[in-house]
Amino acid sequence: MADSASGQIDHVLTEDRLFPPPAEFTQKAVFSTEEQYLETYARARDDRDEFWKAEAQEHLHWFEPFNEVCKWDAPNVEWFVGGKTNASYNCLDRHVEAGRGDRTAIIFEGEPGDTRTLTYSELLTEVCKCAEGLQSLGITQGDVVSVYMPMTPELAILMLACARIGAIHSVIFAGFSAESIADRNNDASAKLMVTADGLYRRGKVLPLKETVDQALAKSTTIEKCLVLKRVGQDNVSMTEGRDVWWHDVVDTQDGKLPAVPLDSETSLFILYTSGSTGKPKGILHTTAGYNLWAKRTFEWVFDHREDDVYWCTADCGWITGHSYVVYGPLSAGATCLMYEGAPNHPAEDRFWDLVEKYKVTIMYTAPTAVRAFIKWGDEHVDKHDLSSLRLLGSVGEGINPEAWMWYHEKIGNSKCPIVDTWWQTETGGIMMSPLPGITATKPGSCCKPLPGVIPEILDETGRPVDPSSGGMLCIGQPWPGMLRGIYGDQERYVQQYWSTVPGKYLTGDNARQDSDGYYWIMGRIDDVINVSGHRLSTIEVESALVSHEAVCEAAVVGRPHDLKGQAISAFVTIRDREPDEELRQELRMHVRKQIGALAQPDDVRFAATLPKTRSGKIMRRLLRDIAAGKEVAGDTSTLEDFTVLAKLKEED
Ligand code: PRX
């Protein structure tokens, strides 16, 4: 097992508390009996095409019907072949045409407290204007639009505007560095960059356009840059002939552009995520299958009802924001709260203030946030009336039972089911989760697979193992929301996900199943670490470190961390410099500049040499133990130089 938070595993192995849903929740729930789930699950498994045919016909709008449900030739899949649909139409026009245009789609609150509400009709008009603006900048179907924006309605508008005309959005979280933006722009051959003058974060303004300008100096394919005025920065530098203002290009349009009927498999978006190698990969999702998966998983897991006010706290820079801020809830006609800023600005009760103010009924957040709330103290929660809440969700990493219990008791007043949702950027939407009306939850378990998900627990040779002892989590059958590839790199797609066990999707996670059939995610099998719910490759951080002139070699591992889940520990060997505090800080800042603040190592240790096997591989397992402050365990007989270990320990 790789870098999993082993402390958590000890807990979950002994966790046997059971929390059945309250009876009044079950009465009105989408799934209200176990039989209903079992029957739906069996139909999706045994008669896949019939099941998804009916789902797609009912839940998406078709300009032209599809003639084949699923064309599966592992690892390539096409869903709803021959059909034409449009994700922006499914999210907007469909509701407006059904007479539901006056329903609130987005309630926005900016960090400084500014608010804005958009009905489905208003959102449709804004999306049309934006799509017209994109067209006026020469964007057409298949062009890649790179996005580096604050979490404001315009971000969702831009995503849907791309979807409306068949352009492919590539959203980059607005915390990544100029280097990272440029890498992503070049990898995707992006034509347009969309950004803002700045964003608000903890009361300060972050000058996004300045970062983008640095990125564009190294981006070879960007022709234009569209800039939203969010913070009203003075002196924003605008390059003549390249940079244009959103209010000039978008706000001046008439807002009537019909959605373009697009083939089901038209690329919808690329989202970069870290894998086990140095270079982030552009995960590709396509229109119909992804849209259907986002909608149905949203409705099943969040048990969506007419009068809900739903809040997913994720940023659209991550997959959670794509599927559960934009495409899932809007396809379902939900009313969504969108918040721009930090959870502790102006004070640590900002989230609870928002829940009370907007009477939020469903809240979906990350374990790292829950752990921060616990640390900040109950008094921030106690100030507020949270009685509107009826359902809580968790995503991004396993939620440790202690945080689960606090979330359940303190935020949910012991009456709200918690849905611990396991999924990945690659899966497009939730794969395993409790169904809140029927599942008796166990703290720390993502419980059961959703209809259409066939998990398998296998060993390295692809053979089934005893599920209770755990193994590699693979998915044996295609599902509509699955990734279609790595943008521009089919070979890597096959190698990464489909070669370990030919014909089966390798999730990269370890899992086990208990005697009740519940699944427990046990951490990664590769060199991916999870820092505050964000995926990072240790090799990516190592590459950033060795690009510093003083670094000869670097090894990066995750170590358990109370708030972040995992912290980043770097071991480096250096040349021509003193191993002092100044260099340590310089290296941390260097990684920040190369990748972004989220990748900055928590600790940097200087070593004389790194422990290696005789074949020259760095022994990360040992470094993980050292970083975690544990006695070095396991077999060290293949260490090239035993003295290294002693030296590393002395560095502590
Ligand atoms: O290791 C699993 C962990 O996060 C990985 C996916 O990361 P990413 O693609 O960034 O997507 C995050 C949001 C879906 C998984 O391979 N992970 C995510 N959710 C859970 C989880 N681990 C345990 N329990 C979860 N609920």
Side-chain angles (χ1 to χ4, degrees):
M1 186 168 312
D3 283 307
S4 58
S6 43
Q8 172 171 341
I9 290 167
D10 297 341
H11 282 298
V12 297
L13 285 174
T14 54
E15 183 58 60
D16 57 2
R17 285 170 289 189
L18 211 55
F19 294 84
E24 64 273 23
F25 193 104
T26 304
Q27 274 161 20
K28 294 194 218 150
V30 174
F31 278 94
S32 56
T33 62
E34 179 73 10
E35 293 68 42
Q36 191 191 350
Y37 163 71
L38 292 174
E39 183 275 325
T40 311
Y41 188 83
R43 259 192 309 124
R45 182 191 56 209
D46 302 338
D47 203 354
R48 183 186 70 201
D49 287 7
E50 271 310 304
F51 179 85
W52 288 112
K53 179 180 169 189
E55 286 283 322
Q57 284 172 341
E58 186 183 342
H59 292 281
L60 297 182
H61 166 83
W62 294 97
F63 294 99
E64 283 179 33
F66 50 90
N67 47 42
E68 189 178 350
V69 178
C70 179
K71 202 169 172 177
W72 170 232
D73 179 12
N76 299 312
V77 74
E78 289 174 54
W79 282 91
F80 313 117
V81 186
K84 285 192 194 295
T85 185
N86 184 296
S88 137
Y89 190 98
N90 291 320
C91 289
L92 304 167
D93 308 58
R94 218 172 171 226
H95 307 307
V96 174
E97 281 170 18
R100 294 153 53 87
D102 291 340
R103 251 181 92 78
T104 301
I106 295 179
I107 304 167
F108 169 70
E109 182 156 318
E111 197 186 74
D114 53 318
T115 61
R116 195 175 154 199
T117 299
L118 288 149
T119 64
Y120 273 90
S121 297
E122 288 164 344
L123 186 60
L124 172 61
T125 304
E126 293 303 316
V127 168
C128 290
K129 283 186 183 176
C130 184
E132 290 156 13
L134 293 177
Q135 285 184 332
S136 77
L137 296 173
I139 297 301
T140 55
Q141 188 176 335
D143 286 339
V144 175
V145 175
S146 189
V147 186
Y148 191 73
M149 289 179 81
M151 204 36 203
T152 60
E154 286 80 3
L155 176 46
I157 290 167
L158 194 267
M159 291 163 73
L160 291 165
C162 288
R164 198 160 186 86
I165 59 171
I168 307 167
H169 55 74
S170 167
V171 184
I172 303 166
F173 174 65
F176 278 110
S177 66
E179 292 287 331
S180 293
I181 303 170
D183 285 349
R184 286 157 170 75
N185 286 348
N186 293 336
D187 185 75
S189 303
K191 197 166 160 189
L192 175 71
M193 177 97 227
V194 186
T195 189
D197 53 351
L199 64 73
Y200 295 106
R201 196 72 190 171
R202 290 199 181 85
K204 292 205 187 95
V205 165
L206 299 189
L208 293 190
K209 179 63 167 53
E210 280 176 25
T211 309
V212 163
D213 281 339
Q214 291 164 23
L216 293 189
K218 295 182 180 171
S219 304
T220 52
T221 56
I222 298 281
E223 294 170 11
K224 297 264 180 210
C225 179
L226 177 62
V227 188
L228 174 77
K229 192 171 269 187
R230 165 65 186 136
V231 296
Q233 282 269 90
D234 289 334
N235 309 323
V236 176
S237 87
M238 296 289 278
T239 301
E240 184 78 34
R242 186 194 70 188
D243 301 351
V244 286
W245 286 106
W246 180 289
H247 50 261
D248 290 335
V249 173
V250 174
D251 294 351
T252 51
Q253 306 288 341
D254 71 0
K256 303 254 184 302
L257 188 80
V260 179
L262 299 169
D263 285 336
S264 294
E265 286 297 334
T266 305
S267 299
L268 179 62
F269 66 84
I270 308 170
L271 187 57
Y272 282 86
T273 188
S274 296
S276 47
T277 59
K279 196 169 143 259
K281 46 197 181 186
I283 302 300
L284 177 69
H285 284 286
T286 59
T287 301
Y290 169 82
N291 194 167
L292 182 64
W293 191 250
K295 178 176 194 278
R296 295 303 282 146
T297 53
F298 172 78
E299 290 168 336
W300 291 336
V301 172
F302 296 106
D303 190 59
H304 179 245
R305 300 173 197 171
E306 220 19 61
D307 51 358
D308 275 320
V309 176
Y310 161 83
W311 184 22
C312 168
T313 68
D315 190 286
C316 286
W318 312 110
I319 191 67
T320 308
H322 282 61
S323 305
Y324 299 108
V325 174
V326 180
Y327 291 108
L330 294 179
S331 295
T335 294
C336 310
L337 175 63
M338 188 173 185
Y339 169 59
E340 176 188 32
N344 55 353
H345 188 82
E348 281 77 2
D349 67 340
R350 185 64 185 270
F351 271 23
W352 317 122
D353 183 52
L354 287 164
V355 169
E356 180 173 6
K357 182 168 169 188
Y358 296 108
K359 304 211 168 4
V360 172
T361 58
I362 306 171
M363 182 174 178
Y364 190 30
T365 196
T368 187
V370 174
R371 292 191 296 261
F373 301 139
I374 297 173
K375 186 177 153 216
W376 293 339
D378 289 1
E379 63 273 23
H380 302 293
V381 183
D382 293 338
K383 274 192 226 157
H384 295 281
D385 174 7
L386 306 184
S387 58
S388 57
L389 288 169
R390 69 176 189 93
L391 177 60
L392 302 173
S394 172
V395 62
E397 60 180 302
I399 179 162
N400 45 308
E402 188 203 351
W404 196 103
M405 286 307 299
W406 185 88
Y407 198 26
H408 176 68
E409 286 170 359
K410 199 72 210 164
I411 305 304
N413 194 22
S414 303
K415 71 175 174 65
C416 302
I418 294 180
V419 286
D420 175 356
T421 61
W422 174 83
W423 58 295
Q424 309 177 295
T425 305
E426 292 87 340
T427 67
I430 298 168
M431 300 291 275
M432 294 205 248
S433 168
L435 289 169
I438 57 168
T439 312
T441 48
K442 300 185 186 184
S445 166
C446 59
C447 299
K448 299 275 179 80
L450 294 182
V453 177
I454 324 276
E456 296 178 32
I457 299 181
L458 308 174
D459 69 13
E460 284 76 24
T461 64
R463 270 191 287 265
V465 294
D466 167 12
S468 65
S469 53
M472 298 188 316
L473 178 63
C474 294
I475 314 285
Q477 290 286 324
W479 66 101
M482 68 187 263
L483 78 166
R484 298 297 194 269
I486 295 178
Y487 195 71
D489 200 344
Q490 180 68 7
E491 207 177 303
R492 192 170 168 206
Y493 169 64
V494 175
Q495 192 269 330
Q496 178 100 40
Y497 300 108
W498 301 94
S499 306
T500 310
V501 186
K504 296 193 198 286
Y505 170 76
L506 181 79
T507 65
D509 283 335
N510 266 310
R512 70 177 185 95
Q513 205 182 6
D514 67 20
S515 51
D516 297 325
Y518 282 47
Y519 285 85
W520 300 79
I521 303 296
M522 313 296 285
R524 298 283 305 189
I525 58 173
D526 52 17
D527 292 319
V528 167
I529 52 177
N530 192 324
V531 181
S532 303
H534 302 315
R535 227 162 111 169
L536 273 175
S537 133
T538 52
I539 300 168
E540 197 179 340
V541 183
E542 286 164 9
S543 308
L545 281 165
V546 295
S547 72
H548 188 283
E549 62 204 5
V551 177
C552 298
E553 247 190 329
V556 168
V557 295
R559 67 167 164 83
H561 186 276
D562 284 350
L563 285 182
K564 302 186 198 185
Q566 284 187 296
I568 306 172
S569 276
F571 295 82
V572 292
T573 61
I574 53 169
R575 64 183 152 218
D576 305 333
R577 282 284 294 268
E578 280 303 307
D580 54 16
E581 194 49 37
E582 191 189 330
L583 180 58
R584 188 171 276 135
Q585 287 312 326
E586 199 177 309
L587 294 179
R588 297 178 74 229
M589 288 315 290
H590 182 73
V591 175
R592 188 186 179 106
K593 189 159 174 291
Q594 293 290 311
I595 305 177
L598 71 169
Q600 180 174 304
D602 294 79
D603 23 75
V604 174
R605 297 168 191 230
F606 298 110
T609 42
L610 296 176
K612 292 195 185 145
T613 61
R614 284 184 213 287
S615 63
K617 274 183 136 183
I618 292 174
M619 298 186 80
R620 289 165 191 283
R621 182 172 50 80
L622 295 181
L623 295 178
R624 272 196 291 273
D625 285 350
I626 294 171
K630 281 197 219 157
E631 273 308 299
V632 176
D635 178 17
T636 55
S637 58
T638 49
L639 259 182
E640 188 195 10
D641 176 1
F642 286 97
T643 58
V644 169
L645 201 58
K647 284 187 197 133
L648 277 169
K649 290 202 67 162
E650 277 165 25
E651 304 278 330
D652 282 351

